Amino acid sequence: MPDHVFERKEQKYLLDEARSRELEALLNQHLAPDRYFRSDIRSLYYDTPDYRLIRRSLEGPVYKEKLRLRCYGDPTPGGEVFLELKKKYQGIVYKRRVSLPLEKAEAYMADPDARLEAGQIGREIDYFKDFYGDLRPAMFLGCHRLAWHGDGGLRVTLDRDIRCRTREPDLNDGGWALLEPGQSLLEIKSAGAMPLWLARFLSLRQIRQQSFSKYGSAYLRLLQNQEIGGFDHAPVHLYQPF
C-alpha cells in the first residue's frame, strides 16, 4: 500500500474560457504533461452529520483539515483509489494519502474500528477518523482536469466542469455545475516561487489570486438552495474558504 506526501503552497484563480485556452497553450510550451494529464477526477468528501469539518474551515482558522476519497476516471471493482488527508496551516498545504482498492477504502471508512496499517500516514488517518467519530460520505465533487508539472515540484492544474452532489454521495458521477459556463479553476502548486513567465502572464492579463474551495463553495451554494438543512447551534461566520 504505497503512500504519498505533499507539502506546498497553493494559489488559485478563476479564469474565463478565453484566458483558460490562452494559458493552456502557454503551459504546453513550458511544462510537461503530468501523469494524470487529462483526467476526470472524482472525489468523495467525508464529514460529520452536521458538516463540522467544512463549517469550521469556512470560519477561517489557522489550521484546517479535510478527508476525501479520490479516483481518476470511473470507479471500478478492485480499482485504485486514494484516501487523502489534506491539511492547511499558515498558508502551507500538507497532503497525506494512501492508495488502496476501492472496496477496501469503502470498508475502512464504514468500520469505526478498522485500521489502515499503512505506516505513519495510516496512523494519521486513523487518528483523524477516531477524533471526528461519526464521519460519513458528505459530498461528491467531480471535474475534468488538465495537469502539468515542472522543476522544483511545480504543478499546475486547470479544472473545468466542476460538479457537486450531496444526495446519495459516492464516487459515481452526477451533480450540478459549481462554476459559470466556460469558467475554469487554475491552481498553481509549488514549494517555491512561481516561474517568471507564469507570473508575467497573470499580471499582464490582470488575473488576481482568490480564495476558492470546491467543497466550501459547493457547501455554501447548496446551503443557499436549501439542499443542506439548517442547524440548531450557532452559525459559522461566512469566511472565504481556501
Side-chain angles (χ1 to χ4, degrees), residues 143-168:
C143 69
H144 297 305
R145 169 170 290 182
L146 295 177
W148 297 261
H149 69 267
D151 296 335
L154 174 67
R155 189 164 186 264
V156 180
T157 60
L158 275 172
D159 291 347
R160 300 185 175 112
D161 188 25
I162 302 175
R163 53 216 183 265
C164 60
R165 186 181 77 253
T166 55
R167 292 172 180 170
E168 300 181 358

Side-chain angles (χ1 to χ4, degrees), residues 42-57 64-71 75 81-87 96 98 100-112 114 116 125-126 128-141 165-166 168-172 213-216 219 228 242:
R42 315 280 182 84
S43 296
L44 179 62
Y45 285 79
Y46 285 83
D47 213 324
T48 61
D50 63 354
Y51 293 90
R52 176 182 173 189
L53 284 164
I54 192 56
R55 285 164 58 80
R56 172 155 175 74
S57 178
K64 55 186 81 173
E65 57 189 354
K66 60 185 70 170
L67 182 67
R68 67 190 178 200
L69 190 61
R70 169 166 288 185
C71 69
V81 298
F82 296 94
L83 190 59
E84 299 182 345
L85 178 59
K86 187 174 183 181
K87 309 176 183 181
R96 310 282 192 261
V98 296
L100 63 168
L102 173 61
E103 293 84 358
K104 288 188 177 181
E106 292 177 333
Y108 167 76
M109 290 304 303
D111 183 355
L116 275 178
I125 296 175
D126 288 341
F128 181 97
K129 190 175 72 163
D130 290 343
F131 180 83
Y132 286 102
D134 189 15
L135 291 175
R136 60 181 180 84
M139 183 180 293
F140 163 83
L141 275 160
R165 186 181 77 253
T166 55
E168 300 181 358
D170 55 22
L171 286 174
N172 293 307
S213 160
K214 296 186 189 75
Y215 185 23
Y219 170 81
I228 294 176
F242 73 91

Side-chain angles (χ1 to χ4, degrees), residues 13-68:
Y13 308 80
L14 287 173
L15 307 180
D16 61 25
E17 186 169 6
R19 291 289 183 260
S20 176
R21 299 299 180 186
E22 188 179 5
L23 177 60
E24 184 179 335
L26 184 66
L27 294 172
N28 283 330
Q29 295 176 19
H30 289 273
L31 301 177
D34 193 70
R35 174 189 175 189
Y36 299 105
F37 169 61
R38 193 182 301 273
S39 57
D40 186 50
I41 295 179
R42 315 280 182 84
S43 296
L44 179 62
Y45 285 79
Y46 285 83
D47 213 324
T48 61
D50 63 354
Y51 293 90
R52 176 182 173 189
L53 284 164
I54 192 56
R55 285 164 58 80
R56 172 155 175 74
S57 178
L58 290 169
E59 291 179 325
V62 174
Y63 173 80
K64 55 186 81 173
E65 57 189 354
K66 60 185 70 170
L67 182 67
R68 67 190 178 200

Side-chain angles (χ1 to χ4, degrees), residues 181-195:
Q183 199 173 37
S184 61
L185 174 66
L186 165 66
E187 296 189 33
I188 302 171
K189 310 168 187 183
S190 66
M194 184 187 305

